[in-house]
Amino acid sequence: MISSRHPTAGLVPEAPYHVVWLATDACTARCQHCSSNSAKQSPDELTTSEAMAMIDDLAAAGVVDLGISGGESLLRGDILDVLAHAKKRGLAVGIATNGAKLTPHRAAALAGLGLDRLQVSLDGFAEQHDELRRWPGLFERALATIATAQAAGLRVNVCCTITRLNANTLEPFVDFIAGLGIGRLNLSRFIPTGRGDDALDPGDARWRSIIELCGGLQRKYHRRLAIVTHLAQHILVDPEAGDLPAFTGCQAGRGQGCISANGTIYPCVLLPVAIGNIRSHPFRQIWTGSPLIQAFQARDKLEGACGACAVRDRCGGCRAVAFAASGNPFSSDPRCWVHEPQLGSCLH
């Protein structure tokens, strides 16, 4: 159901379409940029029965798509049972993995249960990827996982986090991915949260050219490879985005949400501001009753340049970036290059 509480804020669902569940904190890698700071399994992670109840709760709330991540989601022993239950409840399901290991048997099992997509992380070419993930040889392992998944009939997507390490090689990297038969490429921007710090950030001044490049790559490869960016400022570099009623920029607290391994609910996987826990109250009750979520949906509490911007309701700035930079989720997005309340020549 679409909320009419904020008629100027575009299409805002009462419950998020997409929720990411960080199924476990256990991980085989120690990636420099990990927003979850994953390493070992936490003692208070949701049990199998709690995970099943969570899925029932999300389905009842109107969530239609579940992304299962981590940590390394495939380390969770009941992952196939959880997947089967989510599919039974009618959810589209994606599983994210670092690609370190996927056997043909496990790939066939995932395909047989109707997994909608397997997302494998590749953060640039081998040198860049392995450095970021602190695992020599992980790039080749990930390529092997992609091949194994494709052989089993799974749709494979790739997620690439844009950092200082790979920002200069995005164009040849995208061309490489386009040749792998990948379904979709997610160019995700680095947020300095969790284990990630500013040393990995290309720098605020570079993000305009990076966002412009992402828009150009979308247009260049639109017949060969679907590219998504989740970049709020995409509307500033792509006039066609302004014609899409569903495009409202930052999706934190709007079209997406996040549930941690222990059931804590967040507005976004990259925005560590808790609004409740799935163990204490129903998801819909927590989500719709949260003052933070209500403010993100209305956007009338945004401050500084973001609050005064003419495209506030279609962009909103990245709330995760704002929080990481200032500790205030309503402050201006420091990576945005628009500092005047008039739209002027922003769209070009």
Side-chain angles (χ1 to χ4, degrees), residues 8-335:
T8 63
L11 299 178
V12 183
E14 290 186 355
Y17 301 121
H18 172 66
V19 168
V20 176
W21 174 42
L22 306 176
T24 180
D25 290 322
C27 193
T28 50
R30 299 294 182 268
C31 304
Q32 294 185 53
H33 66 310
C34 181
S35 60
S36 302
N37 202 15
S38 298
K40 297 181 180 180
Q41 179 180 351
S42 297
D44 61 345
E45 293 181 2
L46 297 181
T47 64
T48 299
S49 61
E50 287 177 321
M52 302 293 194
M54 175 194 70
I55 287 170
D56 292 338
D57 197 3
L58 293 178
V63 174
V64 298
D65 188 274
L66 177 67
I68 302 178
S69 187
E72 173 51 48
S73 54
L74 293 179
L75 291 178
R76 188 167 170 123
D78 61 0
I79 195 68
L80 295 179
D81 295 329
V82 175
L83 168 60
H85 187 66
K87 295 301 298 180
K88 182 179 179 180
R89 291 307 310 267
L91 296 178
V93 182
I95 289 179
T97 175
N98 62 25
K101 183 179 181 181
L102 181 67
T103 66
H105 177 75
R106 174 63 74 88
L110 293 170
L113 290 172
L115 180 67
D116 294 276
R117 62 193 182 275
L118 183 74
Q119 180 172 284
V120 180
S121 295
L122 280 178
D123 302 294
F125 294 108
E127 181 179 357
Q128 302 152 348
H129 179 78
D130 293 353
E131 178 180 350
L132 184 67
R133 296 192 171 259
R134 293 173 171 157
W135 190 335
L138 185 56
F139 179 83
E140 293 299 329
R141 282 173 171 259
L143 291 184
T145 286
I146 289 172
T148 298
Q150 290 174 327
L154 287 168
R155 173 187 172 91
V156 181
N157 296 342
V158 163
C159 180
C160 173
T161 299
I162 302 171
T163 68
R164 173 186 56 79
L165 299 177
N166 60 23
N168 292 330
T169 57
L170 286 180
E171 288 187 85
F173 177 71
V174 170
D175 194 61
F176 170 75
I177 294 298
L180 295 179
I182 296 299
R184 187 174 74 176
L185 171 63
N186 175 13
L187 292 174
S188 177
R189 70 161 129 182
F190 168 71
I191 310 292
T193 188
R195 230 177 356 246
D197 60 35
D198 289 334
L200 288 172
D201 197 324
D204 292 347
R206 289 200 60 193
W207 279 103
R208 176 174 185 170
S209 63
I210 290 171
I211 293 170
E212 289 174 335
L213 174 60
C214 289
L217 291 170
Q218 282 182 316
R219 293 186 290 273
K220 179 179 178 180
Y221 287 92
H222 77 282
R223 296 185 184 277
R224 297 176 55 197
L225 174 67
I227 299 176
V228 296
T229 65
H230 307 298
L231 298 169
Q233 289 91 356
H234 186 69
I235 195 171
L236 303 181
V237 299
D238 184 359
E240 294 182 3
D243 297 328
L244 302 173
F247 186 90
T248 57
C250 179
Q251 290 298 300
R254 292 178 148 224
Q256 68 168 275
C258 175
I259 300 176
S260 75
N262 71 0
T264 302
I265 303 171
Y266 300 99
C268 167
V269 69
L270 293 168
L271 181 54
V273 181
I275 64 169
N277 191 287
I278 199 83
R279 284 171 162 151
S280 60
H281 294 92
F283 178 84
R284 188 183 187 91
Q285 179 181 339
I286 294 171
W287 191 264
T288 59
S290 167
L292 181 66
I293 298 301
Q294 293 169 8
F296 280 173
Q297 292 179 352
R299 287 187 177 158
D300 56 359
K301 288 184 171 58
L302 296 187
E303 302 170 4
C306 284
C309 185
V311 290
R312 179 189 71 185
D313 294 330
R314 305 303 304 279
C315 171
C318 178
R319 296 301 92 214
V321 171
F323 181 76
S326 68
N328 177 5
F330 299 106
S331 65
S332 293
D333 180 343
R335 294 176 178 174

